[in-house]
Every structure is written in structure tokens, then in C-alpha cells.
Amino acid sequence: MNLKSQLESSLTSDQLRILRLIADEASQTGLPLYIVGGSVRDLILGAAIKDLDLTVEGDAIALARVLAKRHGGRVTPHSKFGTAKWFLPKELRTETSETLDLISARSETYKHPAALPTVKPGSMDDDIRRRDFTINALAVRLDGANFGELRDDLGGMDDLKRGIVRALHARSFIDDPTRMYRAVRYAERYGFKIAEETLALIPAARPLIEKLSAQRIRRELDLILEEWNAAAVLARLADLNLLRPIHPELTFDPSMQERLANLHTYRGLQHLSPRNVTEGERMRNSDLGWLLWLMSLSQEQVSALNDRLHFTADLLASLFAVSNLYVVQTSFVGLKPSQCVERLESYPIAAVEAAGYAANDPRVKECFDEYISKWRYIKPHTTGNDLKTLGVEPGPQYAVVLCRLRNAWLDGEVKTDEEEKSLLRDLLA
Ligand code: CTP
């Protein structure tokens, strides 16, 4: 089977140009070159291809160096893994990519269950067999006359057509327990079934989940929370009893499911206040996902989960904050805007955003959303310098007066510059 026309229609002309150029170089050096893994799966499914996983049967670092010599750019090699990152020269950069990874075909062995694999240079056959699922073990050849030729050694095409996620061998989940999470993620993403024989491998591998490092398991959960249907993935993981083995406090109840259900349609702070959101405030979907998922947990539960998952410092601070906001949210009902602002200013913005997104009471939602999009930016026109000019003795009184003026704006007591000036005169009288 040849996928030349799929390649030509799915890839941008820029991507194709780079592929051809690498393929030409590979043919000249006599190195078989393939796209492998997720990009082939998505090519056949007609889904968007995020990055091209290029694998060379031979020395990828040497090939990258030749390419950089001929076309420019620079290469960062990782000799331990036989991979090279080619920082593309300006003329070859595309809108979405400034670098390209070239990987040497390899074999992987696992010294212990759940350990990271030991990597050795290998044949393309090894490289295909080291993978997780048949649908991720397809390859398309790119060099020479073989451009577009599908290599389907393990029945991946058939499984793709039938919608089946199937592990390659019986030890797959023991070698790498993260694959159980990957299986569910793919199954829910594409609406596929997990093969019965693959589901049957879970019980033997479940006890090994506790051996996975915090970083590895959190990465899998981050990836899940980035999925368009994260709620369905987590619900399935809970059904398969794959959450509690991570930590007994990690569950997925119907209220969690409801909070996460429409995450993919949420466009974030940007939607609330297009002009006023700084880059640093823009949350990753996975972080918002964590906050929505875990906000109903107590501070102690968050802390216990952090011992297992090692959240980033920012996310942990927001998790504690949102857990608190979740408990006290109804106490915001009926408060004046200035009172809401005073309380909310001590919370990380991500926590307020998540709490506002999830609030069931429209009055709470409005309070949190208004705080994010408007209230926090409201300032009086009067400045400290103005007070100085008016002869006010510098000191703590400045903050008191400016805060009083700000509150007056927030609560609608003043609406114009004139009204602010008049209030200021009263305050200083
Ligand atoms: N892989 C594997 N076992 C893992 C992780 C990855 O066998 N634990 C292999 C799979 O063949 C996978 C490829 O490495 O296709 C690339 O992995 P990754 O980039 O994580 O996944 P993608 O297939 O690109 O899928 P996604 O769309 O989720 O990024």
C-alpha cells in the first residue's frame, strides 16, 4: 500500500519540502528513512499531524549533520539515544516548527518492570517491535523510489480500520505501565475499543503503577487533561481501577466528571478579557483540568496527592487556593464588588478562574468572572503623586485613601473624574 497521495494532501507544502529534502539526503547516503508512530496513525485517520516522527535505520546524528552542512541551521545531538535535533535554517522553518527531530532506529529492553528502557541502536524491525500498540507501530518509508510505502508488520492497519487498540505483546504493560493510560487515552480519543486480550493484561500490571515516578505518571495525566474528552478518559480509567493505584485519594466522581465535561470548549481567560490577559496568566488546559478535577478535595487530600505527583509549585499553590474557594464560594454571594476584590486578590488568578468556571451559582460565577475580566483592573485616577501635590503627608494614609477611591469606583459610588475628585476632597477634609 502506498500513502504518497495522503502525505501530499495532509502535509503542508513546507513540511513536504523538508521531507523530500531529508529523504533525498537519506537516499544518497543509503539510509532507509521512515515516518513512524503517531504521525502515521493520524495520517491514515485523516487527523491533524502534530509532529513528524522521523526515524532513520542508521545514524540519525550523522544524517542531521550532513543536512545542516548542506542546508544550514545547527544540530544538537543526544548520543545516548541516537537522536538529533535540527534547528532549521530560516528558509526551511515553517509556521508551526523551527526544529526537526531525527531518530535512529533502536531496540529497547527493560531491566525491571516500570523502569525506563535501555536503548540500543537497532534495525527498523526492532524499532517497530519496541512500541506500545499496533496502531502506533506503522511506518511510512520516505527515501528514494519508496516514498509513501506503508510498512505494516504487525497488523496496525487492520486495527486502525476496525478501531482497536491492541498491545504488541503480553509484557507490554509490565515493561511500561504508563501504556495502560495511553491505551485508554487513544481509545477514548478515537472512539476505539481496547482489545480483550489487551484489557486482560491490566491486572498483572496494576501493582506496578506505584513504581512509576511522579514525573512519568503526572505526564500521562497531563496528556489526558489536554485531550478534548478528558472527562471520558478519566471515567474509563476509574472504571478500570487505574486511578486509585496511583493514589487512594485520586478518584473520579460524577461531580468531577461534570466539571470537566466541556473543558475543550473553554477558551480561557482570553475569552473573558481579550486585551488584559498577560502571557503568564494563560493557563495550560491540563492545569485548568487539574484544578477542575481536584477542587472538591480538602487541603489534606491535595497535600497527600502532591506527595505522590509532585505538582509544579504554581499548580500546587492554585490547587490549595481552589480547594479553599470551592468551600467558601457561596460566602461571596451578596458582597459588594470591592469586598469581592479584597478577598480574591490574595488568590492565584488560575484558582479564581477555575472556581468561576465551575461555580453552579450564577451569582458566584459572575463575581469571579467580573473580578477576572474587569474589577481587578479598576484603579482610581488619583495617584500617590497627586496626593503629594495636594500636600498630604507621605505615610500609610496614602494606601487608605487610594483604596477608598478604588472601592468607590468598584461599587459605583463614583463614575466620573469629577465625582472622584469630590470624594477625595471629602476624604481629605
Ligand atoms: N511509544 C511507546 N510507548 C510509550 C510511549 C511512546 O511505544 N510509552 C511509541 C509509540 O509508537 C508512539 C511513539 O512512541 O506512537 C511516539 O510517542 P508519543 O509522541 O508519546 O505519541 P504519539 O503516537 O505521537 O501520540 P499522541 O497523539 O498522543 O502524541
Side-chain angles (χ1 to χ4, degrees):
M1 185 174 184
N2 195 294
L3 297 178
K4 183 166 177 265
S5 60
Q6 278 94 324
L7 277 173
E8 286 170 349
S9 60
S10 302
L11 299 178
T12 63
S13 52
D14 285 342
Q15 283 176 315
L16 268 176
R17 191 155 65 98
I18 300 176
L19 273 196
R20 295 258 187 213
L21 195 132
I22 301 174
D24 282 350
E25 204 61 63
S27 325
Q28 279 174 37
T29 357
L31 291 175
L33 173 76
Y34 296 84
I35 323 182
V36 205
S39 17
V40 179
R41 177 197 69 220
D42 288 340
L43 180 74
I44 295 169
L45 289 174
I49 298 169
K50 286 171 287 171
D51 32 40
L52 297 166
D53 293 325
L54 291 176
T55 298
V56 186
E57 194 162 24
D59 187 349
I61 297 176
L63 178 63
R65 289 203 163 116
V66 175
L67 282 163
K69 198 162 178 190
R70 196 183 299 274
H71 302 283
R74 65 191 168 82
V75 171
T76 308
H78 292 280
S79 336
K80 195 173 160 210
F81 296 104
T83 64
K85 194 175 272 304
W86 180 21
F87 291 84
L88 297 166
K90 227 189 241 137
E91 318 78 74
L92 290 179
R93 283 181 210 153
T94 64
E95 254 174 56
T96 48
S97 170
E98 300 199 340
T99 61
L100 216 136
D101 291 321
L102 286 166
I103 298 157
S104 306
R106 66 200 199 199
S107 71
E108 289 183 349
T109 46
Y110 294 82
K111 275 208 181 109
H112 316 283
L116 284 171
T118 309
V119 174
K120 271 203 296 222
S123 63
M124 202 53 206
D125 186 52
D126 295 326
D127 197 272
I128 285 172
R129 287 176 191 281
R130 74 173 168 88
R131 292 172 185 270
D132 48 5
F133 307 112
T134 58
I135 57 168
N136 284 346
L138 290 157
V140 173
R141 184 124 180 208
L142 297 174
D143 57 297
N146 306 299
F147 188 83
E149 195 179 284
L150 178 71
R151 178 163 174 175
D152 177 14
D153 297 1
L154 304 168
M157 190 66 182
D158 208 34
D159 282 340
L160 259 189
K161 278 196 199 135
R162 292 165 56 200
I164 295 174
V165 179
R166 189 191 311 276
L168 296 194
H169 54 84
R171 277 190 61 85
S172 183
F173 293 164
I174 291 179
D175 287 343
D176 179 356
T178 66
R179 289 176 171 164
M180 293 186 277
Y181 300 85
R182 294 172 63 86
V184 175
R185 182 158 61 87
Y186 293 125
E188 295 302 321
R189 182 198 290 172
Y190 300 118
F192 283 11
K193 276 190 146 62
I194 302 175
E196 285 302 324
E197 77 211 40
T198 300
L199 282 173
L201 305 177
I202 292 178
R206 197 182 280 115
L208 299 166
I209 293 169
E210 67 174 25
K211 290 195 185 305
L212 288 171
S213 68
Q215 196 197 5
R216 286 183 74 197
I217 194 72
R218 209 190 55 238
R219 178 167 186 276
E220 289 308 320
L221 294 170
D222 276 342
L223 289 172
I224 288 166
L225 290 167
E226 293 282 349
E227 291 285 329
W228 70 271
N229 58 351
V233 181
L234 293 172
R236 186 79 202 280
L237 286 173
D239 279 351
L240 291 169
N241 187 17
L242 287 171
L243 290 180
R244 281 184 194 276
I246 297 173
H247 191 284
E249 301 291 2
L250 201 63
T251 56
F252 199 62
D253 65 30
S255 69
M256 294 164 166
Q257 185 154 7
E258 198 185 317
R259 289 200 294 272
L260 280 166
N262 296 313
L263 181 58
H264 65 288
T265 61
Y266 182 58
R267 284 178 295 136
L269 276 178
Q270 211 171 359
H271 157 69
L272 290 171
S273 53
R275 271 164 290 123
N276 291 326
V277 177
T278 64
E279 199 49 48
E281 285 180 352
R282 212 159 281 146
M283 237 192 304
R284 289 176 9 174
N285 251 357
S286 58
D287 281 356
L288 179 59
W290 279 111
L291 297 177
L292 294 174
W293 182 6
L294 303 182
M295 65 168 63
S296 47
L297 267 51
S298 68
Q299 306 276 306
E300 293 71 25
Q301 288 172 309
V302 170
S303 183
L305 271 183
N306 184 52
D307 290 343
R308 172 67 179 104
L309 293 171
H310 302 181
F311 296 116
T312 60
D314 279 352
L315 179 57
L316 182 62
S318 296
L319 281 168
F320 280 130
V322 83
S323 135
N324 177 263
L325 274 178
Y326 182 80
V327 174
V328 302
Q329 54 181 312
T330 47
S331 67
F332 282 83
V333 173
L335 293 188
K336 289 199 269 185
S338 62
Q339 294 169 314
C340 291
V341 169
E342 192 189 347
R343 287 179 65 189
L344 289 175
E345 268 176 346
S346 59
Y347 289 90
I349 206 72
V352 182
E353 185 182 3
Y357 174 88
N360 285 323
D361 187 325
R363 294 164 301 176
V364 175
K365 198 179 202 46
E366 192 187 340
C367 165
F368 292 180
D369 287 357
E370 289 284 292
Y371 168 74
I372 288 179
S373 58
K374 277 202 233 125
W375 296 343
R376 64 191 174 124
Y377 302 112
I378 291 178
K379 299 234 160 60
H381 298 170
T382 309
T383 65
N385 263 342
D386 297 333
L387 295 183
K388 210 167 162 188
T389 316
L390 288 170
V392 184
E393 201 53 38
Q397 208 200 336
Y398 273 44
V400 176
V401 171
L402 293 175
C403 179
R404 179 70 190 83
L405 293 177
R406 184 188 188 206
N407 289 349
W409 279 99
L410 281 166
D411 297 338
E413 290 165 20
V414 303
K415 294 192 182 67
T416 63
D417 205 16
E418 271 316 306
E419 287 174 4
E420 179 181 330
K421 283 199 176 111
S422 146
L423 174 62
L424 179 61
R425 276 193 298 275
D426 293 348
L427 290 174
L428 299 179

